[in-house]
Amino acid sequence: MIVAMQERATEEQIDAVIDAMVEVGVGVHRTTGASQTILAGVGPTANVDLTKFEVLPGVLNVHRISAPYKLAGRAFRPEGTVVEFANGVKIGGEKIAVMAGPCAIENQDQITTIAKCVKAAGGEFLRGGAFKPRSSPYAFQGLGIPGLKLMYEAAREQGLLTVSEVMEISQIEAMLPYTDLFQVGARNMQNFNLLRELGQIRKPVLLKRGISATIEELLLSSEYIMSGGNYDVILCERGIRTYETATRNTMDISAIPVIHKLSHLPIVGDPSHGTGRRDMVPAMAKAAVAAGADALIMEIHPNADKAVSDAAQTLYLEQFSELMGQLRVIATAVERTL
Amino acid sequence: MIVAMQERATEEQIDAVIDAMVEVGVGVHRTTGASQTILAGVGPTANVDLTKFEVLPGVLNVHRISAPYKLAGRAFRPEGTVVEFANGVKIGGEKIAVMAGPCAIENQDQITTIAKCVKAAGGEFLRGGAFKPRSSPYAFQGLGIPGLKLMYEAAREQGLLTVSEVMEISQIEAMLPYTDLFQVGARNMQNFNLLRELGQIRKPVLLKRGISATIEELLLSSEYIMSGGNYDVILCERGIRTYETATRNTMDISAIPVIHKLSHLPIVGDPSHGTGRRDMVPAMAKAAVAAGADALIMEIHPNADKAVSDAAQTLYLEQFSELMGQLRVIATAVERTL
Amino acid sequence: MIVAMQERATEEQIDAVIDAMVEVGVGVHRTTGASQTILAGVGPTANVDLTKFEVLPGVLNVHRISAPYKLAGRAFRPEGTVVEFANGVKIGGEKIAVMAGPCAIENQDQITTIAKCVKAAGGEFLRGGAFKPRSSPYAFQGLGIPGLKLMYEAAREQGLLTVSEVMEISQIEAMLPYTDLFQVGARNMQNFNLLRELGQIRKPVLLKRGISATIEELLLSSEYIMSGGNYDVILCERGIRTYETATRNTMDISAIPVIHKLSHLPIVGDPSHGTGRRDMVPAMAKAAVAAGADALIMEIHPNADKAVSDAAQTLYLEQFSELMGQLRVIATAVERTL
Amino acid sequence: MIVAMQERATEEQIDAVIDAMVEVGVGVHRTTGASQTILAGVGPTANVDLTKFEVLPGVLNVHRISAPYKLAGRAFRPEGTVVEFANGVKIGGEKIAVMAGPCAIENQDQITTIAKCVKAAGGEFLRGGAFKPRSSPYAFQGLGIPGLKLMYEAAREQGLLTVSEVMEISQIEAMLPYTDLFQVGARNMQNFNLLRELGQIRKPVLLKRGISATIEELLLSSEYIMSGGNYDVILCERGIRTYETATRNTMDISAIPVIHKLSHLPIVGDPSHGTGRRDMVPAMAKAAVAAGADALIMEIHPNADKAVSDAAQTLYLEQFSELMGQLRVIATAVERTL
């Protein structure tokens, strides 16, 4: 950490800051220039709240110079993490994985039809929500575990893996038999108790970026899971909230290369939530692949207009199949497969 | 709801949209002008996902014309809600309530000293965190229920009420005996399962606005609690995330008059989280009172620089006492008391 | 336009709103449902300030149902605009154009070296700033017209076109002989007097999106130029300001498909300003091409670290040449050339 | 400036960074800890582009430790700037000044009526736009200099000062005889050529914060004016763009205390543009005064609903007069007058 003192800081103020730094356990190196004193704190500061130094008398500003996360940082595994599933499917390797399915599992027919489509198009994961977080208490809330079973059976018939959202700790155990990849939704990215519990299981976790989370906060949240011993974390960019209203969210494609630089964890693009509009999904799916995404997750439905939720952003099955062909060409262009 | 068709929409497209509107249960009135057809949907649309109409062929745009919340709307209780506590303290009335205390409960000495200060300065609530949501897994996580008991005892000795954050459903029951007002933190504003459970208890809830939540979303979240039968919801503005970095968050003072217009629920200002800086708290506390806040919640600590969390935004006890005097004058200027 | 009245709006209030609508020249259709009255205004509203209706007594909300721009709208030229330059180069057609060069023109050697590199790599435009808008008054402000001449000569030797930023009306005439494409920078997107003057010239204009401009505002600004008779407007996405700090701006890749849907104007991606970081430029350049960009504009410099401005986001010449090869493959994958 | 190297940075990389620092003219102090090397650069860095260091090999991050502005900084005039006008009116002193008037000057009757109202209510400045920046080219663009003359005469009859927006350099000279305070609008906050010219005149400048400008950028823009020798700069907070749509902008009340801390320049609150809604103006005007604003600027009109622009945010004259009385009480509560 670095503390820059104001030009007119007194020696007493400087000493008080040095004392406060020593108290949190860092060694202090002092540099005094013609007009300003700089205090460099060397030592572990990941668990120090730096903002408290900002309001000490005589302080101009304070900077963290090391990342506040450790296990999630690139340096922890410079070669990158590849998450491997029981059937040999990998995320983070040369092949770009595809996860597709409905926003909400509705019934057996629906999910079976979709599973066949995902398989035929070359996808690896069937996605579908059994528990739905909805802004309005009057909206459909999901089928729960019975729905998840339907999806699991449909997936396994096709040799697919399943990914589904867990909304609270009490659901984890019941979901375990039917879930290959536990999704943490954007609204729960900082539900730290849930993250901590997911650090205790031995199944991979798909952690979605909150709609107003910085990339640093996303990595800190992944650290919660990893610090429990579960290193199989996959991150997901699904759009952030900005002032622009032409799309539901602004999909931050640059998060993909940024995360690849800062972290070893794989990163997935979600163009469905990223845009909120069916007609924008193909362009953004292509962009995500071109920018280096390790996987894609998309919403599809045989009768997309009548999907019980997220209808506007859901692709028709034919659209999905056609898009998969186009994505394969882009993947080749960036020297990967799909 | 209103669906505006594109200028060159065909009759088939218009008919398909009308069918889709009828299907969700609204009556349709059609207006065809020289260049454009407009379809007005009359009937209950609070639980209709309007975005699905946006991507139907021939549609230009879709607008919701009634608020998506009901119980939270001003029309439900035009005279405004006054939440009354066991000891007669009210929030939403003429007197502006003050809640103060440490970010985290640390020990008996700390909380007792603070309780005395709050009482002496004229506050009504002792606040303090027993369970702390922290961005970093390596930071202090709170004392839990034993800490809450310490706070409860310190509060009752002074005749104060207690307010503390609940982070998950499993904590509710254990917190009940020691908590007069259950705080839902910004990160949990859309933890719908938690909100639903809080709709079942018979104690008031302080619902904080998420750092990237719209006012409409805040009201929808309050609807989750009220739809369970608990109408004693108090809202809280605590700063939103913007691009500005001079303050930790941007405290949206205008949310206070906006909420008073749209809703009957009381609204509290939190200048500590709203700014993240001790030196900005007084100005923003005054602004909140001037703008019509029904209560204030602030972080204070006898040794603010060494508070285990949120040190930078925590007032010293003397600062708090002095500020209370100043706030009282502003309250009078807006024809209230404090 | 649509005005939705509050549930308890009186007949007098409704009549007053109808009168106000008639006064601005729209025909009014009234729909009264069980609980709410809706007033649909049919007629030209592009120059009506709708917000004034929002604060009339009894009004719940007001919606614009037709786009506020006309000439920029897709409907004006459904087939899309292709801007053609004197040497036959086109923007908006099947071939993706590339514009590259230094942030600021520094001297003849620099610009000549760069021009050769752009040509060799297959680019069509040499870019370079002669007038530099700088946040700090103490930073380098550009060489002015003499610099522009240097760039023009270097470009023409290589058969390249030139693009350079115009910062104010008084510069237009002097720039005309040396500028094939006039760039309006993000800070000037709403400098309406400048836009109006550029509507009078007969050279194409590259209009950059302001860092906090909505896509609708960008299209309205293009309308200023087109309404003067200059229809050769090319739009540019160069990153918007969000709360994320890992990149200088957040490049809104989804603006590319959105603009293609709403407008007939070509859209260019600027990954240099979009990210502010050299190491992120290649990924975002690829993403822009994959998402459908009609051209790219990038900053390059033989000695990128020592460029007098924007050094951090400037590619080395070898990086640029290598990237061009990669982009060509992506272009093919989306059925275009580059 | 501080450059923090990555943990695994090589000596060659460190040396290259030191060389680059020396090259821009700073002295370098090196601190090497157990895991990381820190390079502190001491010397003038206001005109150094620090971002270029961020992308040098081996660099983790770079921090500016001194403010990039000088003349605008608090240290330049610790006692604060008080701008004094010819008639003795001051901005920045104990008395809070009030500026009011229509968005656009429409005709003699309108402006005379308003001038009388401003005077009677105790205001000091008559505001009114002669040149209007409008998002749509089809909207009313202002009466120009003849309109400004009308306002000047109406103001002087009442002993008021005038404030009006200048949109481009060519307007300055013509406006000089009729303008006591030159307003730079939010869209022109970074029109650096205009700012530079305003640094040459000897009349005060009211500089509005851009809707997406940081406070640091606002101060840098004021530096452009001051570096020309015109130190009479008054800043204005008029709302920033956020994701919230309940108000047109989010008025950043905390900018008031932040600017008072960072700078010596007076700061004005604009609750009209800050909210965009007449019904929110009174609450936010009060909040601005409570937070320490040195002046207020508000839009008023005898027939507010029919104002040719900004109708929704314009107060009726009676509302304004009533509000002035309320503000006077708040001013007293914060130990000022109005």
Side-chain angles (χ1 to χ4, degrees), chain B residues 5 9-19 57:
Chain B
M5 303 299 297
T10 63
E11 274 304 308
E12 287 69 36
Q13 290 173 333
I14 294 169
D15 286 347
V17 174
I18 291 174
D19 288 353

PDB file of all heavy atoms in Angstrom, chain B residues 5 9-19 57:
ATOM      1  N   MET B   5     -46.668  -0.047 -32.966  1.00  0.00           N
ATOM      2  CA  MET B   5     -46.191  -0.831 -34.104  1.00  0.00           C
ATOM      3  C   MET B   5     -45.293   0.047 -34.995  1.00  0.00           C
ATOM      4  O   MET B   5     -45.409   1.269 -35.004  1.00  0.00           O
ATOM      5  CB  MET B   5     -47.373  -1.347 -34.928  1.00  0.00           C
ATOM      6  CG  MET B   5     -48.371  -2.196 -34.146  1.00  0.00           C
ATOM      7  SD  MET B   5     -47.666  -3.734 -33.425  1.00  0.00           S
ATOM      8  CE  MET B   5     -47.181  -4.638 -34.908  1.00  0.00           C
ATOM      9  N   ALA B   9     -45.654  -1.921 -40.365  1.00  0.00           N
ATOM     10  CA  ALA B   9     -46.143  -3.203 -39.844  1.00  0.00           C
ATOM     11  C   ALA B   9     -47.339  -3.674 -40.682  1.00  0.00           C
ATOM     12  O   ALA B   9     -48.188  -2.878 -41.078  1.00  0.00           O
ATOM     13  CB  ALA B   9     -46.562  -3.038 -38.386  1.00  0.00           C
ATOM     14  N   THR B  10     -47.380  -4.978 -40.924  1.00  0.00           N
ATOM     15  CA  THR B  10     -48.485  -5.513 -41.725  1.00  0.00           C
ATOM     16  C   THR B  10     -49.674  -5.846 -40.826  1.00  0.00           C
ATOM     17  O   THR B  10     -49.546  -5.949 -39.600  1.00  0.00           O
ATOM     18  CB  THR B  10     -48.039  -6.810 -42.432  1.00  0.00           C
ATOM     19  OG1 THR B  10     -47.734  -7.773 -41.406  1.00  0.00           O
ATOM     20  CG2 THR B  10     -46.800  -6.581 -43.276  1.00  0.00           C
ATOM     21  N   GLU B  11     -50.822  -6.041 -41.442  1.00  0.00           N
ATOM     22  CA  GLU B  11     -52.021  -6.422 -40.680  1.00  0.00           C
ATOM     23  C   GLU B  11     -51.799  -7.757 -39.956  1.00  0.00           C
ATOM     24  O   GLU B  11     -52.298  -7.969 -38.856  1.00  0.00           O
ATOM     25  CB  GLU B  11     -53.234  -6.534 -41.609  1.00  0.00           C
ATOM     26  CG  GLU B  11     -53.954  -5.208 -41.848  1.00  0.00           C
ATOM     27  CD  GLU B  11     -54.415  -4.513 -40.555  1.00  0.00           C
ATOM     28  OE1 GLU B  11     -55.086  -5.174 -39.737  1.00  0.00           O
ATOM     29  OE2 GLU B  11     -54.081  -3.320 -40.369  1.00  0.00           O
ATOM     30  N   GLU B  12     -51.042  -8.657 -40.595  1.00  0.00           N
ATOM     31  CA  GLU B  12     -50.776  -9.955 -39.973  1.00  0.00           C
ATOM     32  C   GLU B  12     -49.972  -9.755 -38.680  1.00  0.00           C
ATOM     33  O   GLU B  12     -50.240 -10.393 -37.666  1.00  0.00           O
ATOM     34  CB  GLU B  12     -49.979 -10.870 -40.924  1.00  0.00           C
ATOM     35  CG  GLU B  12     -50.793 -11.424 -42.081  1.00  0.00           C
ATOM     36  CD  GLU B  12     -51.176 -10.343 -43.086  1.00  0.00           C
ATOM     37  OE1 GLU B  12     -50.352  -9.423 -43.321  1.00  0.00           O
ATOM     38  OE2 GLU B  12     -52.314 -10.378 -43.593  1.00  0.00           O
ATOM     39  N   GLN B  13     -48.983  -8.885 -38.774  1.00  0.00           N
ATOM     40  CA  GLN B  13     -48.158  -8.635 -37.585  1.00  0.00           C
ATOM     41  C   GLN B  13     -48.998  -8.012 -36.474  1.00  0.00           C
ATOM     42  O   GLN B  13     -48.901  -8.391 -35.307  1.00  0.00           O
ATOM     43  CB  GLN B  13     -46.982  -7.707 -37.944  1.00  0.00           C
ATOM     44  CG  GLN B  13     -45.940  -8.396 -38.836  1.00  0.00           C
ATOM     45  CD  GLN B  13     -44.857  -7.452 -39.327  1.00  0.00           C
ATOM     46  OE1 GLN B  13     -45.068  -6.245 -39.453  1.00  0.00           O
ATOM     47  NE2 GLN B  13     -43.693  -8.009 -39.622  1.00  0.00           N
ATOM     48  N   ILE B  14     -49.847  -7.068 -36.863  1.00  0.00           N
ATOM     49  CA  ILE B  14     -50.702  -6.418 -35.864  1.00  0.00           C
ATOM     50  C   ILE B  14     -51.621  -7.454 -35.210  1.00  0.00           C
ATOM     51  O   ILE B  14     -51.774  -7.491 -33.980  1.00  0.00           O
ATOM     52  CB  ILE B  14     -51.518  -5.277 -36.521  1.00  0.00           C
ATOM     53  CG1 ILE B  14     -50.552  -4.161 -36.974  1.00  0.00           C
ATOM     54  CG2 ILE B  14     -52.569  -4.736 -35.561  1.00  0.00           C
ATOM     55  CD1 ILE B  14     -51.182  -3.107 -37.853  1.00  0.00           C
ATOM     56  N   ASP B  15     -52.197  -8.310 -36.023  1.00  0.00           N
ATOM     57  CA  ASP B  15     -53.088  -9.339 -35.476  1.00  0.00           C
ATOM     58  C   ASP B  15     -52.347 -10.279 -34.527  1.00  0.00           C
ATOM     59  O   ASP B  15     -52.872 -10.671 -33.483  1.00  0.00           O
ATOM     60  CB  ASP B  15     -53.716 -10.155 -36.620  1.00  0.00           C
ATOM     61  CG  ASP B  15     -54.783  -9.346 -37.348  1.00  0.00           C
ATOM     62  OD1 ASP B  15     -55.193  -8.280 -36.822  1.00  0.00           O
ATOM     63  OD2 ASP B  15     -55.192  -9.753 -38.455  1.00  0.00           O
ATOM     64  N   ALA B  16     -51.126 -10.626 -34.896  1.00  0.00           N
ATOM     65  CA  ALA B  16     -50.355 -11.537 -34.038  1.00  0.00           C
ATOM     66  C   ALA B  16     -50.078 -10.893 -32.684  1.00  0.00           C
ATOM     67  O   ALA B  16     -50.134 -11.552 -31.638  1.00  0.00           O
ATOM     68  CB  ALA B  16     -49.043 -11.924 -34.733  1.00  0.00           C
ATOM     69  N   VAL B  17     -49.801  -9.601 -32.691  1.00  0.00           N
ATOM     70  CA  VAL B  17     -49.541  -8.913 -31.421  1.00  0.00           C
ATOM     71  C   VAL B  17     -50.822  -8.850 -30.594  1.00  0.00           C
ATOM     72  O   VAL B  17     -50.812  -9.087 -29.381  1.00  0.00           O
ATOM     73  CB  VAL B  17     -48.964  -7.497 -31.667  1.00  0.00           C
ATOM     74  CG1 VAL B  17     -48.843  -6.733 -30.360  1.00  0.00           C
ATOM     75  CG2 VAL B  17     -47.605  -7.603 -32.361  1.00  0.00           C
ATOM     76  N   ILE B  18     -51.937  -8.540 -31.253  1.00  0.00           N
ATOM     77  CA  ILE B  18     -53.223  -8.499 -30.524  1.00  0.00           C
ATOM     78  C   ILE B  18     -53.493  -9.860 -29.877  1.00  0.00           C
ATOM     79  O   ILE B  18     -53.860  -9.954 -28.700  1.00  0.00           O
ATOM     80  CB  ILE B  18     -54.371  -8.093 -31.478  1.00  0.00           C
ATOM     81  CG1 ILE B  18     -54.186  -6.621 -31.893  1.00  0.00           C
ATOM     82  CG2 ILE B  18     -55.730  -8.307 -30.813  1.00  0.00           C
ATOM     83  CD1 ILE B  18     -55.171  -6.141 -32.940  1.00  0.00           C
ATOM     84  N   ASP B  19     -53.267 -10.927 -30.631  1.00  0.00           N
ATOM     85  CA  ASP B  19     -53.477 -12.271 -30.076  1.00  0.00           C
ATOM     86  C   ASP B  19     -52.608 -12.502 -28.840  1.00  0.00           C
ATOM     87  O   ASP B  19     -53.064 -13.032 -27.822  1.00  0.00           O
ATOM     88  CB  ASP B  19     -53.134 -13.345 -31.127  1.00  0.00           C
ATOM     89  CG  ASP B  19     -54.199 -13.396 -32.223  1.00  0.00           C
ATOM     90  OD1 ASP B  19     -55.235 -12.699 -32.077  1.00  0.00           O
ATOM     91  OD2 ASP B  19     -53.973 -14.091 -33.223  1.00  0.00           O
ATOM     92  N   PRO B  57     -42.354  -9.519 -34.362  1.00  0.00           N
ATOM     93  CA  PRO B  57     -42.181  -8.842 -35.653  1.00  0.00           C
ATOM     94  C   PRO B  57     -43.138  -7.656 -35.807  1.00  0.00           C
ATOM     95  O   PRO B  57     -44.323  -7.771 -35.476  1.00  0.00           O
ATOM     96  CB  PRO B  57     -42.496  -9.946 -36.668  1.00  0.00           C
ATOM     97  CG  PRO B  57     -42.220 -11.228 -35.945  1.00  0.00           C
ATOM     98  CD  PRO B  57     -42.586 -10.962 -34.515  1.00  0.00           C
TER      99      PRO B  57
END
